[in-house]
Structures are given as C-alpha cells and as structure tokens.
Amino acid sequence: MRKAQRGPDTRTRAQTPPRGAPMPVIQIHLMEGRTTAQKQALMREVTRAAAETLGVSPQSVRILLQELQSGHFAVAGEPKYADHDPAATGHATQPETVTSN
C-alpha cells in the first residue's frame, strides 16, 4: 500500500509555533438571534482559519462564543437590538387606545 504524498512544507520558521506554544483561545461576542447551525459553522471556519494561519492543529484551537442579549450592547451610548427585537425598529408593541365617538 502506498502512502499518500504530501507537498513540501511551505511554512517558515516564523510560521511554525515553538514546541509547547500555548493553544490559541479565541473569544467571539455575537448578538443573539443566530441559529445553532450558523454558530457551529462559524466556529468550524474560525478553527480552520486559526489552525491554518497559526500552524497549529485544529484540536488545539479553543473558541469561546458569547451571545449578547439584545440591548446589552451599545455604540456611542445607544443600545443596539437584535433584528427580531421590536425595539430595534421602534415598533414596540404599545397598548391600543380605544376611543368612543
């Protein structure tokens, strides 16, 4: 049985992590509202990119995904809301006023 041939290792010494290098730990803060499938795909792709870029095995990459509750994030002091949050559009549900003629 023949072994699969691998191409030459094109990483330079600077690209190869030193022996015993700490594992990469990546923190991602994400507004709530993504599906489980989207979050899993994001973590897979970030792991792939980190492993390739840093020259480490995917098994050494750790990802911490933190979902931010709608309204718990602000830009210039103004809270931001997830798309599914009625406050995001300013159309929050208000009690209906009934008037008689």
Side-chain angles (χ1 to χ4, degrees), residues 51-84:
E52 182 180 306
T53 303
L54 301 174
V56 299
S57 72
Q59 291 77 17
S60 71
V61 177
R62 304 295 186 258
I63 296 178
L64 306 172
L65 182 92
Q66 180 179 6
E67 287 187 280
L68 300 172
Q69 186 177 348
S70 183
H72 286 204
F73 172 76
V75 175
E78 294 298 319
K80 299 299 176 184
Y81 298 93
D83 289 338
H84 67 277

Short mmCIF file of all heavy atoms in Angstrom, two decimals, residues 51-84:
data_model
loop_
_atom_site.label_atom_id
_atom_site.label_comp_id
_atom_site.label_asym_id
_atom_site.label_seq_id
_atom_site.Cartn_x
_atom_site.Cartn_y
_atom_site.Cartn_z
N ALA A 51 -6.09 27.52 12.68
CA ALA A 51 -5.15 26.41 12.55
C ALA A 51 -4.22 26.63 11.35
O ALA A 51 -3.00 26.47 11.45
CB ALA A 51 -5.89 25.08 12.42
N GLU A 52 -4.80 27.03 10.24
CA GLU A 52 -4.02 27.26 9.03
C GLU A 52 -3.06 28.44 9.20
O GLU A 52 -1.89 28.36 8.87
CB GLU A 52 -4.97 27.52 7.86
CG GLU A 52 -4.28 27.72 6.53
CD GLU A 52 -5.28 27.96 5.42
OE1 GLU A 52 -6.20 27.14 5.26
OE2 GLU A 52 -5.15 28.98 4.73
N THR A 53 -3.55 29.54 9.72
CA THR A 53 -2.75 30.75 9.86
C THR A 53 -1.66 30.62 10.91
O THR A 53 -0.54 31.08 10.72
CB THR A 53 -3.67 31.94 10.23
OG1 THR A 53 -4.68 32.06 9.23
CG2 THR A 53 -2.89 33.23 10.33
N LEU A 54 -1.98 29.98 12.03
CA LEU A 54 -1.03 29.87 13.14
C LEU A 54 -0.17 28.61 13.08
O LEU A 54 0.74 28.45 13.89
CB LEU A 54 -1.79 29.91 14.47
CG LEU A 54 -2.63 31.18 14.71
CD1 LEU A 54 -3.43 31.04 15.98
CD2 LEU A 54 -1.73 32.41 14.75
N GLY A 55 -0.48 27.71 12.15
CA GLY A 55 0.30 26.49 12.02
C GLY A 55 0.12 25.54 13.19
O GLY A 55 1.07 24.91 13.63
N VAL A 56 -1.11 25.46 13.71
CA VAL A 56 -1.40 24.56 14.83
C VAL A 56 -2.47 23.56 14.38
O VAL A 56 -3.12 23.75 13.38
CB VAL A 56 -1.89 25.33 16.08
CG1 VAL A 56 -0.82 26.30 16.57
CG2 VAL A 56 -3.18 26.09 15.80
N SER A 57 -2.64 22.52 15.17
CA SER A 57 -3.68 21.55 14.83
C SER A 57 -5.05 22.11 15.22
O SER A 57 -5.15 22.85 16.21
CB SER A 57 -3.43 20.23 15.55
OG SER A 57 -3.72 20.36 16.91
N PRO A 58 -6.08 21.76 14.48
CA PRO A 58 -7.42 22.22 14.84
C PRO A 58 -7.81 21.78 16.25
O PRO A 58 -8.56 22.47 16.93
CB PRO A 58 -8.33 21.57 13.79
CG PRO A 58 -7.44 21.33 12.62
CD PRO A 58 -6.08 21.03 13.20
N GLN A 59 -7.29 20.64 16.71
CA GLN A 59 -7.62 20.14 18.04
C GLN A 59 -7.08 21.05 19.15
O GLN A 59 -7.55 20.99 20.28
CB GLN A 59 -7.07 18.72 18.24
CG GLN A 59 -7.77 17.69 17.39
CD GLN A 59 -7.35 17.71 15.92
OE1 GLN A 59 -6.32 18.26 15.55
NE2 GLN A 59 -8.17 17.12 15.08
N SER A 60 -6.11 21.90 18.84
CA SER A 60 -5.57 22.79 19.87
C SER A 60 -6.30 24.12 19.96
O SER A 60 -6.08 24.90 20.88
CB SER A 60 -4.07 23.05 19.62
OG SER A 60 -3.90 23.89 18.49
N VAL A 61 -7.19 24.40 19.00
CA VAL A 61 -7.90 25.69 18.95
C VAL A 61 -9.12 25.63 19.87
O VAL A 61 -9.91 24.69 19.82
CB VAL A 61 -8.34 26.02 17.51
CG1 VAL A 61 -9.14 27.32 17.47
CG2 VAL A 61 -7.12 26.11 16.60
N ARG A 62 -9.25 26.63 20.71
CA ARG A 62 -10.40 26.76 21.61
C ARG A 62 -11.17 28.02 21.24
O ARG A 62 -10.57 29.07 21.00
CB ARG A 62 -9.96 26.86 23.07
CG ARG A 62 -9.09 25.72 23.55
CD ARG A 62 -9.86 24.40 23.54
NE ARG A 62 -9.11 23.33 24.13
CZ ARG A 62 -8.48 22.38 23.44
NH1 ARG A 62 -8.48 22.41 22.14
NH2 ARG A 62 -7.83 21.41 24.06
N ILE A 63 -12.50 27.91 21.20
CA ILE A 63 -13.34 29.06 20.88
C ILE A 63 -14.36 29.25 21.99
O ILE A 63 -15.02 28.30 22.41
CB ILE A 63 -14.06 28.88 19.53
CG1 ILE A 63 -13.03 28.80 18.41
CG2 ILE A 63 -15.06 30.01 19.28
CD1 ILE A 63 -13.62 28.59 17.05
N LEU A 64 -14.46 30.48 22.45
CA LEU A 64 -15.46 30.85 23.46
C LEU A 64 -16.46 31.77 22.77
O LEU A 64 -16.12 32.88 22.38
CB LEU A 64 -14.81 31.57 24.64
CG LEU A 64 -13.65 30.84 25.31
CD1 LEU A 64 -12.95 31.74 26.31
CD2 LEU A 64 -14.13 29.57 25.96
N LEU A 65 -17.67 31.29 22.59
CA LEU A 65 -18.71 32.07 21.92
C LEU A 65 -19.67 32.60 22.98
O LEU A 65 -20.24 31.82 23.73
CB LEU A 65 -19.47 31.19 20.91
CG LEU A 65 -20.54 31.95 20.15
CD1 LEU A 65 -19.95 32.49 18.85
CD2 LEU A 65 -21.70 31.05 19.84
N GLN A 66 -19.80 33.90 23.03
CA GLN A 66 -20.71 34.51 23.98
C GLN A 66 -21.77 35.29 23.22
O GLN A 66 -21.46 36.17 22.43
CB GLN A 66 -19.96 35.46 24.92
CG GLN A 66 -20.87 36.10 25.93
CD GLN A 66 -20.13 37.03 26.87
OE1 GLN A 66 -18.95 37.30 26.72
NE2 GLN A 66 -20.84 37.54 27.84
N GLU A 67 -23.02 34.92 23.46
CA GLU A 67 -24.12 35.63 22.82
C GLU A 67 -24.53 36.80 23.71
O GLU A 67 -24.73 36.64 24.91
CB GLU A 67 -25.31 34.71 22.61
CG GLU A 67 -25.09 33.71 21.50
CD GLU A 67 -26.34 32.93 21.20
OE1 GLU A 67 -26.62 31.98 21.95
OE2 GLU A 67 -27.03 33.27 20.24
N LEU A 68 -24.65 37.95 23.09
CA LEU A 68 -25.06 39.15 23.81
C LEU A 68 -26.57 39.30 23.69
O LEU A 68 -27.12 39.23 22.59
CB LEU A 68 -24.37 40.38 23.23
CG LEU A 68 -22.85 40.36 23.28
CD1 LEU A 68 -22.27 41.52 22.50
CD2 LEU A 68 -22.38 40.38 24.72
N GLN A 69 -27.20 39.51 24.81
CA GLN A 69 -28.65 39.72 24.81
C GLN A 69 -28.96 41.03 24.09
O GLN A 69 -28.24 42.02 24.22
CB GLN A 69 -29.15 39.76 26.25
CG GLN A 69 -30.65 39.84 26.37
CD GLN A 69 -31.10 39.80 27.82
OE1 GLN A 69 -30.32 39.50 28.72
NE2 GLN A 69 -32.34 40.10 28.04
N SER A 70 -30.05 41.03 23.36
CA SER A 70 -30.47 42.23 22.64
C SER A 70 -30.56 43.41 23.61
O SER A 70 -31.12 43.30 24.69
CB SER A 70 -31.84 41.98 22.00
OG SER A 70 -32.23 43.10 21.25
N GLY A 71 -29.97 44.50 23.21
CA GLY A 71 -29.98 45.71 24.04
C GLY A 71 -28.84 45.77 25.05
O GLY A 71 -28.68 46.78 25.73
N HIS A 72 -28.02 44.72 25.14
CA HIS A 72 -26.89 44.70 26.08
C HIS A 72 -25.59 45.04 25.38
O HIS A 72 -24.51 44.63 25.81
CB HIS A 72 -26.78 43.33 26.76
CG HIS A 72 -27.86 43.11 27.78
ND1 HIS A 72 -27.71 42.24 28.82
CD2 HIS A 72 -29.09 43.65 27.93
CE1 HIS A 72 -28.81 42.25 29.55
NE2 HIS A 72 -29.66 43.10 29.02
N PHE A 73 -25.67 45.79 24.30
CA PHE A 73 -24.52 46.24 23.53
C PHE A 73 -24.86 47.64 23.05
O PHE A 73 -25.99 47.90 22.63
CB PHE A 73 -24.29 45.29 22.34
CG PHE A 73 -23.25 45.76 21.37
CD1 PHE A 73 -21.91 45.66 21.68
CD2 PHE A 73 -23.62 46.31 20.15
CE1 PHE A 73 -20.94 46.08 20.78
CE2 PHE A 73 -22.66 46.73 19.25
CZ PHE A 73 -21.32 46.61 19.56
N ALA A 74 -23.90 48.55 23.12
CA ALA A 74 -24.18 49.93 22.71
C ALA A 74 -23.05 50.47 21.86
O ALA A 74 -21.90 50.09 22.01
CB ALA A 74 -24.36 50.82 23.94
N VAL A 75 -23.41 51.38 20.96
CA VAL A 75 -22.45 52.13 20.16
C VAL A 75 -22.72 53.60 20.45
O VAL A 75 -23.87 54.05 20.32
CB VAL A 75 -22.60 51.83 18.65
CG1 VAL A 75 -21.69 52.73 17.83
CG2 VAL A 75 -22.32 50.36 18.37
N ALA A 76 -21.71 54.31 20.87
CA ALA A 76 -21.83 55.73 21.22
C ALA A 76 -22.95 55.95 22.24
O ALA A 76 -23.68 56.92 22.18
CB ALA A 76 -22.06 56.58 19.97
N GLY A 77 -23.09 54.99 23.16
CA GLY A 77 -24.06 55.12 24.23
C GLY A 77 -25.47 54.71 23.87
O GLY A 77 -26.37 54.73 24.71
N GLU A 78 -25.69 54.32 22.61
CA GLU A 78 -27.03 53.93 22.17
C GLU A 78 -27.12 52.41 22.09
O GLU A 78 -26.35 51.78 21.35
CB GLU A 78 -27.36 54.53 20.80
CG GLU A 78 -27.47 56.05 20.83
CD GLU A 78 -28.59 56.53 21.74
OE1 GLU A 78 -29.68 55.92 21.72
OE2 GLU A 78 -28.37 57.53 22.44
N PRO A 79 -28.06 51.79 22.82
CA PRO A 79 -28.18 50.33 22.77
C PRO A 79 -28.55 49.84 21.37
O PRO A 79 -29.29 50.50 20.65
CB PRO A 79 -29.29 50.01 23.77
CG PRO A 79 -29.80 51.29 24.27
CD PRO A 79 -29.03 52.41 23.68
N LYS A 80 -28.01 48.69 21.03
CA LYS A 80 -28.32 48.05 19.76
C LYS A 80 -29.16 46.82 20.04
O LYS A 80 -28.97 46.14 21.04
CB LYS A 80 -27.04 47.65 19.02
CG LYS A 80 -26.16 48.83 18.68
CD LYS A 80 -26.89 49.78 17.77
CE LYS A 80 -26.06 51.02 17.50
NZ LYS A 80 -26.76 51.99 16.70
N TYR A 81 -30.08 46.53 19.15
CA TYR A 81 -31.03 45.44 19.35
C TYR A 81 -30.94 44.45 18.20
O TYR A 81 -30.68 44.82 17.06
CB TYR A 81 -32.46 46.00 19.47
CG TYR A 81 -32.62 46.91 20.64
CD1 TYR A 81 -32.45 48.28 20.52
CD2 TYR A 81 -32.90 46.39 21.90
CE1 TYR A 81 -32.57 49.11 21.61
CE2 TYR A 81 -33.04 47.22 23.00
CZ TYR A 81 -32.86 48.58 22.86
OH TYR A 81 -32.97 49.39 23.95
N ALA A 82 -31.21 43.19 18.52
CA ALA A 82 -31.26 42.15 17.50
C ALA A 82 -32.43 42.44 16.57
O ALA A 82 -33.41 43.06 16.96
CB ALA A 82 -31.42 40.78 18.16
N ASP A 83 -32.34 41.97 15.34
CA ASP A 83 -33.38 42.23 14.34
C ASP A 83 -34.76 41.76 14.77
O ASP A 83 -35.76 42.35 14.42
CB ASP A 83 -33.03 41.56 13.01
CG ASP A 83 -31.85 42.25 12.34
OD1 ASP A 83 -31.59 43.43 12.64
OD2 ASP A 83 -31.21 41.61 11.49
N HIS A 84 -34.82 40.68 15.56
CA HIS A 84 -36.13 40.15 15.95
C HIS A 84 -36.73 40.90 17.14
O HIS A 84 -37.84 40.64 17.54
CB HIS A 84 -36.03 38.66 16.27
CG HIS A 84 -35.23 38.36 17.49
ND1 HIS A 84 -33.86 38.27 17.47
CD2 HIS A 84 -35.60 38.14 18.76
CE1 HIS A 84 -33.42 38.01 18.69
NE2 HIS A 84 -34.45 37.93 19.49
#
